[in-house]
Amino acid sequence: MKHPLSLALAIAVAGMAAAPVLVQAQQTAVSGAESLQGNPFLEKSTLPLEYPHFDRIRDEHFAPAFDAGMRQNLAEVEAIATNPEAPTFENTILELEKSGQLLGRAVRVFFNLVGTDTNDTRKQLQADYSARFAAHQDAIALNPQLFERIETLHENRDSLGLDAEGVRLVERYYTDFVRSGAKLDDAQKARLKEINAELAELGTKFSQNVLAEVNDSAVVVDTREELDGLTEAQISAAAEAAKSRGHEGKYVITLLNTTGQPPLSQLTNRDLRERIFKASVARGARGNEWDNTGIIAQVVKLRDERAKMLGYPNHATYVLEDETAKTPQAVNDMLGQLAPAAVANARREAADLQAMIDQEQAAKGEASFELEPWDWAFYTEKVRQARYDFDESQLKPYFEMKSVLEDGVFHAANQFYGISFKERTDLPKYHPDTWIYDVFDADGSQLAIFIFDPYARDSKRGGAWMNSYVSQSELEGTSPVVANHQNIPKPQAGEPTLLTWDEVITMFHEFGHALHGMFSDVTYPYFSGTSVPRDFVEFPSQVNEMWADWPSILANYAKHHETGEPMPQELLDKVLETARFNQGFATTEYLAAAMLDQRLHQAEGDAIPAADEIVRFEAEALAADGIDFAAVPPRYKLPYFSHIMGGYSAGYYAYIWSEVLDANTVKWIEEHGGLTRANGDRFRATLLSQGGSKDALQLFRDFSGADPDITPLLEKRGLVVPDTDDGAPPEAEPTTLPADS
Ligand SMILES: [Zn+2]
């Protein structure tokens, strides 16, 4: 996320991580400040590290803080733009870096709460303000006097006496302003403002529809018998969910915002599996009030118009220019290189599943049936059991949530980086199901505050993500307050929270983003923590996944929640073995979504689908890319593909793009002694602490001493198609699925 003005907003929408926002409280009098009497956003929080005053923040505080914050910000910008003195780095760039304090504080808390615990008031505020925030950003980005100053500084950037980070900051401001339309003529600027306002409103509506549809599509089940295969705890949770939704005596299977749904791996009732799957994939295109197809069509059309106005053939070209990928061709080449191997592996896996179905049906004396998408997870589990003699449910007792966090995720960070953690209970919470930790550096000084928010709830958006309440910067003297969010089903009171292996991996992944935020050591807010290209930002988080199954780490946290017994060695070995399993499916469903995103945003003019063509467009795009394997649908279908309406438009490829760097880095660490403080300190010093203050690929080279190579990724995902196909499952290392939704 690059544009300093759009950060807080874009991040909240995209679920992307921290960012430099407008910082430092300016003590200038704000007109209308009297209406902010007692408003907790008016001043910096006095809590440790400026942790937000959740005990004082009420929903009615947001609108006045937004209004006054925008007024204050515009006044600051106007003062910078009309300063009679010649532009200097200090009176222009630094003043911009320090501006917008009040707005930044309010916006960050607001969008964090909209993502984690929304309600009707917050939804209404989001709808009311999305276009106004877009207009506010445009008022700054399209201010001609301001741009003139930035342009002058940019021309003279090498003679301003700045260090490398300062020069880069000037370059980034210049690029951001140009990409935001600063060089357009007045008529174009006027049209651009209309487009941005409309896109903001459409984006808000899209995300609200996704949440409404995932809740509305929950599947009601009449009898307990149909739930055969679920655990007692899951059945009670389903009964509880039914009760809270007014279906007392029945059961409700709630959905996640992915195409696949976890209970599909367990439910023996094939009809119910089919119902759940069909409910999942129908979301957002049902012709009801939450139908998203019209929004997608309109958004893509507006993005195309904007891209052309800015001098690009399409939205994807515009977006990718500012990423490490640089061009659609580079992205297409990479995805195209991976797709055939992924589909070939998925077809091999499907053959195994079909054999299992045929064998089972024959044993029952019944006719066989063809593998359907709602059968995949169920029979994969059976093949896994047959091949490795164990199933997922044997693992769960060893993955108690708090133990995974403290004895796994934290322990790994302690071993690699020397940092330590202490829970604190004195700070106010925005929701009772959150945990707060002080994070200490190796020398005992406080490094950050970490908020852990693991449970799913109807008011929380899908997926997992990291965000930031306070970002580190030397200019502001701030230290990070960061949070991790997941959607782990909450057990009934008194029951332990036992995780799946995927949930364990996701916890390590998100904490990798948190480390990127917490280790930030930059001068300017703009470059703080995860403020890097989005096709780079997933790289450090993916690297952190490597500790989940690192033997000494796994042994430290994988203990039976009742007996404390360590996970038996043979089960542990199986975890490692089966992590190599089902990778054709995982890669194919991911690539299908990534390629759909590219097709949609590389489309131009008449090729952009209308609302009633979205479903057909999707099918044709998958076929054209050779990734239309019916048994493995895309991880997200367009009508609930939140990434592409938010900050990941033309950017879902970023996960696998980042994974090239991840695979190279994991290999480097393994070849240099593995889990050592020396390796951790090196990764922190060369990369994690640098934020966006240097070119992203340079950071990678600084760490590894080499350019990235695609081979380790291909090996890791088992995507090297063997010359002679002997039918054996391909060898692959444990993979990293996109853990963020
Ligand atoms: Zn991530």
Side-chain angles (χ1 to χ4, degrees):
M1 303 276 86
K2 264 83 33 65
H3 199 295
L5 310 168
S6 62
L7 284 165
L9 309 177
I11 283 156
V13 173
M16 218 181 122
V21 188
L22 329 151
V23 227
Q24 199 154 77
Q26 297 253 326
Q27 298 308 321
T28 34
V30 180
S31 65
E34 57 284 356
S35 67
L36 292 184
Q37 202 81 56
N39 190 308
F41 295 115
L42 185 58
E43 302 293 340
K44 276 187 196 177
S45 166
T46 52
L47 294 174
L49 309 194
E50 301 177 31
Y51 178 98
H53 262 296
F54 291 121
D55 51 341
R56 298 192 201 154
I57 296 168
R58 294 190 309 274
D59 286 345
E60 62 263 33
H61 292 134
F62 289 115
F66 293 159
D67 294 342
M70 283 191 278
R71 274 199 306 275
Q72 180 195 60
N73 194 200
L74 283 182
E76 289 161 349
V77 167
E78 195 55 27
I80 298 167
T82 59
N83 186 339
E85 288 170 34
T88 63
F89 180 75
E90 288 71 22
N91 74 18
T92 304
I93 304 286
L94 278 195
E95 287 303 313
L96 283 172
E97 282 285 277
K98 295 186 214 165
S99 70
Q101 293 290 318
L102 169 58
L103 181 60
R105 280 193 295 270
V107 156
R108 278 197 195 206
V109 170
F110 177 72
F111 281 103
N112 279 324
L113 294 183
V114 162
T116 56
D117 194 23
T118 198
N119 58 35
D120 288 343
T121 308
R122 291 172 187 172
K123 283 183 205 164
Q124 189 58 48
L125 278 167
Q126 195 187 5
D128 290 347
Y129 276 88
S130 51
R132 295 180 58 188
F133 286 143
H136 177 72
Q137 290 166 35
D138 282 340
I140 297 170
L142 301 177
N143 180 320
Q145 285 167 291
L146 183 61
F147 179 61
E148 210 174 296
R149 296 176 76 88
I150 291 168
E151 200 169 26
T152 303
L153 292 170
H154 183 251
E155 278 163 17
N156 303 309
R157 62 190 181 282
D158 292 325
S159 53
L160 298 173
L162 299 172
D163 63 7
E165 190 180 341
V167 172
R168 184 172 165 81
L169 187 62
V170 175
E171 290 172 347
R172 287 307 319 171
Y173 265 86
Y174 177 76
T175 304
D176 285 345
F177 272 72
V178 172
R179 287 174 55 80
S180 301
K183 287 187 163 179
L184 299 180
D185 66 31
D186 287 348
Q188 289 174 316
K189 282 182 181 172
R191 176 61 189 145
L192 185 66
K193 288 177 186 174
E194 287 173 8
I195 292 174
N196 287 341
E198 195 177 344
L199 282 173
E201 284 183 345
L202 290 167
T204 296
K205 184 76 182 127
F206 185 94
S207 64
Q208 294 186 348
N209 286 347
V210 167
L211 187 58
E213 277 285 89
V214 85
N215 288 330
D216 191 65
S217 302
V219 175
V220 183
V221 180
D222 291 338
T223 65
R224 192 188 166 92
E225 289 66 47
E226 292 169 85
L227 298 179
D228 181 50
L230 297 189
T231 63
E232 280 307 314
Q234 286 173 307
I235 293 172
S236 335
E240 201 56 44
K243 204 165 147 192
S244 74
R245 287 160 190 251
H247 298 288
E248 180 113 39
K250 295 188 180 182
Y251 305 88
V252 161
I253 306 282
T254 55
L255 301 185
L256 301 183
N257 190 39
T258 43
T259 294
Q261 300 296 334
L264 295 182
S265 70
Q266 299 165 279
L267 289 164
T268 62
N269 186 314
R270 191 167 187 240
D271 292 337
L272 179 56
R273 290 204 306 269
E274 182 175 350
R275 269 177 69 203
I276 293 171
F277 177 83
K278 287 186 168 169
S280 179
V281 294
R283 285 175 291 133
R286 297 192 292 163
N288 60 12
E289 61 184 300
W290 304 306
D291 190 299
N292 267 335
T293 54
I295 293 178
I296 297 167
Q298 184 63 5
V299 163
V300 178
K301 218 174 114 210
L302 290 169
R303 284 175 177 166
D304 185 53
E305 183 186 347
R306 181 175 62 183
K308 287 186 165 66
M309 202 188 293
L310 292 167
Y312 301 86
N314 53 50
H315 180 69
T317 309
Y318 166 71
V319 166
L320 295 171
E321 180 196 59
D322 211 31
E323 300 296 324
T324 70
K326 301 291 179 212
T327 65
Q329 194 58 50
V331 174
N332 293 347
D333 285 351
M334 184 188 185
L335 298 178
Q337 187 180 354
L338 300 174
V343 174
N345 286 3
R347 287 189 188 280
R348 255 194 298 267
E349 289 162 11
D352 289 343
L353 303 183
Q354 188 66 56
M356 174 62 80
I357 293 171
D358 294 346
Q359 187 188 326
E360 267 204 7
Q361 292 301 104
K364 284 194 279 184
E366 290 172 20
S368 193
F369 54 82
E370 199 180 330
L371 173 74
E372 295 284 355
W374 49 89
D375 300 319
W376 190 290
F378 184 72
Y379 287 97
T380 291
E381 208 41 52
K382 294 200 165 216
V383 170
R384 190 206 307 268
Q385 282 169 36
R387 191 171 291 168
Y388 302 104
D389 186 32
F390 100 117
D391 66 87
E392 184 84 35
S393 66
Q394 288 172 269
L395 292 179
K396 287 187 101 174
Y398 296 93
F399 296 148
E400 191 277 317
M401 182 173 75
K402 214 64 186 299
S403 169
V404 175
L405 178 70
E406 296 183 352
D407 303 329
V409 173
F410 289 173
H411 178 66
N414 173 265
Q415 298 295 296
F416 203 48
Y417 302 108
I419 60 175
S420 55
F421 303 82
K422 191 169 188 302
E423 187 174 351
R424 65 187 295 167
T425 52
D426 57 329
L427 290 174
K429 297 176 173 186
Y430 61 84
H431 192 282
D433 290 338
T434 53
W435 286 265
I436 303 163
Y437 293 87
D438 280 329
V439 185
F440 300 99
D441 215 334
D443 66 2
S445 62
Q446 181 146 24
L447 183 69
I449 289 177
F450 175 69
I451 303 169
F452 182 61
D453 174 7
Y455 290 126
R457 44 186 173 260
D458 288 354
S459 60
K460 194 179 195 178
R461 72 176 182 81
W465 68 98
M466 167 269 198
N467 67 22
S468 186
Y469 285 96
V470 180
S471 296
Q472 178 276 337
S473 90
E474 220 173 277
L475 187 70
E476 308 301 340
T478 45
S479 296
V481 177
V482 302
N484 276 176
H485 308 276
Q486 281 185 246
N487 266 279
I488 296 165
K490 187 181 175 181
Q492 285 195 297
E495 296 289 320
T497 306
L498 303 177
L499 306 188
T500 65
W501 180 239
D502 272 357
E503 287 162 348
V504 171
I505 296 274
T506 301
M507 201 185 288
F508 278 87
H509 175 100
E510 295 308 329
F511 198 71
H513 288 305
L515 289 168
H516 203 179
M518 296 193 295
F519 285 149
S520 176
D521 187 14
V522 299
T523 306
Y524 306 112
Y526 186 101
F527 294 132
S528 190
T530 52
S531 310
V532 296
R534 69 184 163 198
D535 62 2
F536 187 83
V537 78
E538 294 302 327
F539 151 48
S541 52
Q542 289 169 346
V543 169
N544 203 53
E545 294 175 26
M546 75 181 287
W547 309 124
D549 62 8
W550 194 264
S552 66
I553 301 295
L554 189 62
N556 197 61
Y557 74 82
K559 294 180 179 158
H560 197 282
H561 71 100
E562 281 168 334
T563 64
E565 289 292 311
M567 187 188 272
Q569 185 63 42
E570 58 163 21
L571 198 53
L572 219 148
D573 291 342
K574 284 171 184 172
V575 173
L576 302 184
E577 278 178 45
T578 58
R580 303 173 183 189
F581 182 67
N582 204 34
Q583 284 315 300
F585 173 90
T587 310
T588 300
E589 70 155 3
Y590 165 75
L591 287 175
M595 291 169 111
L596 268 181
D597 170 32
Q598 287 303 320
R599 285 267 169 191
L600 191 66
H601 289 110
Q602 290 177 26
E604 298 170 30
D606 292 345
I608 294 170
D612 59 355
E613 295 167 339
I614 293 289
V615 173
R616 198 186 71 206
F617 176 90
E618 194 174 78
E620 288 174 358
L622 294 172
D625 281 323
I627 196 130
D628 57 334
F629 182 29
V632 186
R635 187 171 167 83
Y636 301 93
K637 296 188 127 230
L638 293 175
Y640 52 87
F641 200 170
S642 297
H643 295 79
I644 64 167
M645 287 298 116
Y648 271 67
S649 64
Y652 192 61
Y653 77 97
Y655 291 94
I656 207 150
W657 190 271
S658 291
E659 206 179 314
V660 174
L661 305 179
D662 160 40
N664 278 263
T665 302
V666 167
K667 199 173 165 199
W668 190 99
I669 292 172
E670 284 169 353
E671 288 170 352
H672 289 79
L675 182 64
T676 67
R677 278 295 312 282
N679 286 343
D681 289 349
R682 179 184 173 98
F683 195 49
R684 174 176 174 176
T686 56
L687 205 138
L688 292 177
S689 63
Q690 301 290 318
S693 65
K694 292 181 186 162
D695 173 74
L697 287 180
Q698 188 55 47
L699 295 176
F700 171 79
R701 288 186 206 103
D702 290 347
F703 169 74
S704 68
D707 282 323
D709 166 19
I710 197 173
T711 318
L713 168 75
L714 297 176
E715 288 168 355
K716 174 183 173 187
R717 287 228 171 201
L719 292 178
V720 183
V721 184
D723 291 337
T724 52
D725 186 355
D726 59 5
E731 281 296 310
E733 290 301 306
T735 192
T736 51
L737 271 184
D740 308 62
S741 83

